[in-house]
Amino acid sequence: MPDLMGRIAPTGMAAAEGWTLERLTPPSRLYGANGLAVGPDGRLHVAQVGGSQVSAIDVDSGTIDTISPMGGAIVAPDDLVFDEAGNCYLTEITEGRVSMLTPGGQARVIHGDIPVANPITWHQGRLIAGECRMGARILELAIDGGAPRVILDGIPMANAFQVGPDGKLYVPVMGANQIWRVDLDSGAHEVVAGDLGVPDSVKFDSKGRIVTTQVASGQVLRIDPVSGVREVLADLGPGLDNVAFIGDRLFVSSIPGEITEILAPGKVRPVVARALQWPLGLAMGADGALFVADGTFGYTLEPGGAPQLAGMIFHPGCPGYMRGVAPGAQAGEWIVTTGLGSVARYRPGEGASDFLSHGHDRLMGVAVAPDGAVIFAEQGSGRVLRADNGSVEAIAQGLDQPTGVAIDADGVVHVTEAGAGRIVRLSGGRAETLLDGLDRPEGLAISGDRLVTLDSRAKALVACSRAGEERALLATHLPVGAPPGVTPRYLGPIGDMAGPMINFADVAAGTDGTLYLSGDAEGSVLALRAA
């Protein structure tokens, strides 16, 4: 039987006596899905930025094998291509470089100094890579590490490109919402198609037609590069990333980890089901809907339902890459911290955000005080801050990686220090230890008369009284944090799109006593309930 398990082995998660534990969403099979390329073995290879992993999929059996693992030499691979000898060339988007992975698994850097390295292709012995940023360059790289040749610069965000039958490079230009045709020698270029749905990949079918994914609209389009006639092949939802052909079979990736085969216009077959990429912050709204911050995406999860897309970074009004979240003052409003260091009131239904603060270093958890002030943890600086009436001030400094924030009905602020392994109570600018001896406490919630934290290194949910007494394990062997034996590489910023991609194993409390957990190791949301 094929191995169709999730991206990590089952953890044997268990609830303490008197509690039940269940998954509200299924585990993900990939750490997201970005670039696609067919390897010499005929399998579909998938680059996964968030997991620093490359996997190979047998598209008929569904079996997935790891080619380059998390914690290995390849970091944050975004796109990939193979040469005739079976070498794989990859862009490492957070590292700003292109590397080569040999058929035997040896890795070496081809060239660095490529900010937001993203698209890559191979054509008749020529390796061509580009950048996905404003003012991007397209470069021809020397395999021996020599100086690159700039083919074209000043591009507003180039993405996954390919050389067409005419020998020209066809480039999806996200910032212009166009597809360009570029002469590889002179750099001369012209617009082939415009007014799209934010194109982020271009590949050619066997008849010389463009097939392109649209990250914002979720459409897969087929375009005649001569006449410009276009056809919608599928509408799969926002977040599409790349395209690959195995013969005449067409496969499409989506950032949340979905791989889809398009059989005919309007007819599709799931190869790997859409799922959550992380998830990160969780928050329970007054209407009973759970908001799930999943980096590029935000979802709402109703009781008994599946995650429903609330917003994403290419939607109007989205504040950016979403990490921490708390319920706002009104239904449908959420307070979020972003990967680029901002705090915002986000109303996805209106397509609007009001920013409260900018310029912070690795923001994590957030909570709202009884007086309406927003309290948030700035992990990079070791501070906890308060935003209120247009002003922002630090209410605690010198903490060791403050991460989760919870506030009681009296306005007392509680914080997890992931680096120090403790929960503290803030008072008068001082941090008073309530519970220590933890490994890496991250998310924090108040449920009844208890503080509850999710310890990502111990892989346990730990509770104590508000005075820090009566410590108890509520659940163990949870699918959180890094897989056993793996030290993940630090994933830095992606230009102006996202700051550092830091995991955040959060916990949120429902009014009925249910505790919701971010199963960030496997890509699920869990619920712990009193039996």
Side-chain angles (χ1 to χ4, degrees):
M1 293 291 290
D3 179 5
L4 300 180
M5 60 185 285
R7 67 195 188 194
I8 64 168
T11 60
M13 64 182 190
E17 185 177 356
W19 295 86
T20 62
L21 183 62
E22 67 170 326
R23 290 183 177 89
L24 300 183
T25 66
S28 305
R29 300 195 64 214
L30 297 168
Y31 292 96
N34 303 109
L36 297 178
V38 180
D41 57 6
R43 293 186 296 174
L44 189 65
H45 287 61
V46 186
Q48 299 150 73
V49 171
S52 282
Q53 186 157 296
V54 178
S55 301
I57 304 175
D58 183 311
V59 296
D60 295 313
S61 71
T63 301
I64 301 177
D65 294 316
T66 300
I67 303 301
S68 179
M70 177 187 293
I74 302 299
V75 180
D78 191 281
D79 203 0
L80 68 171
V81 70
F82 289 87
D83 67 14
E84 294 83 358
N87 296 305
C88 182
Y89 302 92
L90 309 103
T91 51
E92 297 172 272
I93 192 167
T94 65
E95 306 304 293
R97 69 190 185 195
V98 169
S99 290
M100 182 180 79
L101 195 63
T102 70
Q106 292 77 39
R108 70 177 177 90
V109 175
I110 297 295
H111 192 75
D113 191 26
I114 308 175
V116 199
N118 186 321
I120 192 165
T121 194
W122 177 268
H123 178 67
Q124 297 179 353
R126 302 169 74 175
L127 181 63
I128 302 161
E131 302 163 345
C132 190
R133 63 182 178 96
M134 300 304 288
R137 300 172 298 167
I138 296 174
L139 308 169
E140 182 172 357
L141 303 181
I143 305 302
D144 61 6
R149 181 178 71 88
V150 178
I151 296 171
L152 182 63
D153 61 10
I155 306 162
M157 301 178 68
N159 214 315
F161 45 49
Q162 190 176 50
V163 176
D166 59 1
K168 302 294 180 64
L169 185 68
Y170 286 74
V171 183
V173 182
M174 297 174 65
N177 198 23
Q178 296 171 337
I179 295 172
W180 293 3
R181 179 166 42 223
V182 178
D183 186 281
L184 288 174
D185 297 317
S186 69
H189 58 281
E190 59 184 328
V191 176
V192 175
D195 192 22
L196 301 166
V198 188
D200 57 350
S201 71
V202 167
K203 300 291 172 68
F204 284 86
D205 67 15
S206 62
K207 296 181 179 180
R209 298 172 296 187
I210 292 170
V211 175
T212 173
T213 52
Q214 313 300 301
V215 67
S217 71
Q219 291 183 330
V220 183
L221 303 178
R222 184 162 61 199
I223 301 174
D224 186 309
V226 177
S227 69
V229 172
R230 64 184 70 176
E231 175 185 11
V232 177
L233 297 180
D235 195 337
L236 301 175
L240 300 185
D241 196 289
N242 214 306
V243 175
F245 286 93
I246 300 178
D248 283 329
R249 298 174 67 182
L250 170 59
F251 298 88
V252 174
S253 66
S254 185
I255 295 168
E258 182 179 24
I259 306 293
T260 304
E261 181 176 9
I262 300 177
L263 303 173
K267 185 177 181 181
V268 302
R269 178 182 74 91
V271 177
V272 177
R274 188 183 185 100
L276 297 173
Q277 190 171 9
W278 308 100
L280 304 168
L282 303 174
M284 177 57 67
D287 58 357
L290 184 73
F291 191 93
V292 182
D294 199 33
T296 305
F297 301 84
Y299 301 91
T300 53
L301 184 59
E302 301 276 357
Q308 299 297 310
L309 183 65
M312 67 168 298
I313 59 171
F314 293 106
H315 280 179
C318 181
Y321 184 96
M322 293 168 273
R323 186 178 294 126
V325 62
Q330 55 185 294
E333 179 182 83
W334 307 94
I335 313 299
V336 299
T337 60
T338 76
L340 285 175
S342 297
V343 185
R345 299 185 187 274
Y346 180 34
R347 297 179 298 283
E350 298 177 18
S353 290
D354 301 320
F355 286 94
L356 305 179
S357 191
H358 293 288
H360 298 285
D361 184 6
R362 283 167 282 173
L363 293 182
M364 302 299 288
V366 61
V368 180
D371 64 0
V374 173
I375 312 298
F376 55 99
E378 186 179 29
Q379 191 179 88
S381 70
R383 300 188 298 171
V384 176
L385 299 109
R386 174 188 174 98
D388 189 27
N389 293 322
S391 66
V392 178
E393 62 175 345
I395 59 172
Q397 302 185 62
L399 301 180
D400 191 350
Q401 297 181 41
T403 302
V405 180
I407 305 173
D408 66 21
D410 296 323
V412 178
V413 178
H414 305 77
V415 179
T416 56
E417 284 185 90
R422 65 176 185 164
I423 301 173
V424 299
R425 177 168 54 207
L426 303 184
S427 178
R430 300 181 59 186
E432 174 189 352
T433 300
L434 294 178
L435 186 68
D436 58 12
L438 301 168
D439 283 334
R440 187 172 178 81
E442 297 193 11
L444 184 64
I446 295 175
S447 181
D449 59 357
R450 281 177 153 180
L451 290 166
V452 183
T453 185
L454 188 49
D455 190 324
S456 66
R457 191 169 292 149
K459 304 188 184 306
L461 189 69
V462 182
C464 66
S465 71
R466 300 221 200 151
E469 301 169 344
E470 302 173 24
R471 174 173 174 159
L473 283 175
L474 303 185
T476 58
H477 300 95
L478 294 169
V480 298
V486 174
T487 301
R489 300 298 186 95
Y490 173 75
L491 300 182
I494 301 178
D496 294 330
M497 289 186 286
M501 288 182 284
I502 304 167
N503 283 34
F504 178 32
D506 201 10
V507 57
T511 55
D512 62 354
T514 300
L515 296 169
Y516 299 91
L517 319 178
S518 292
D520 64 330
E522 68 173 18
S524 68
V525 176
L526 312 172
L528 183 74
R529 297 184 174 93

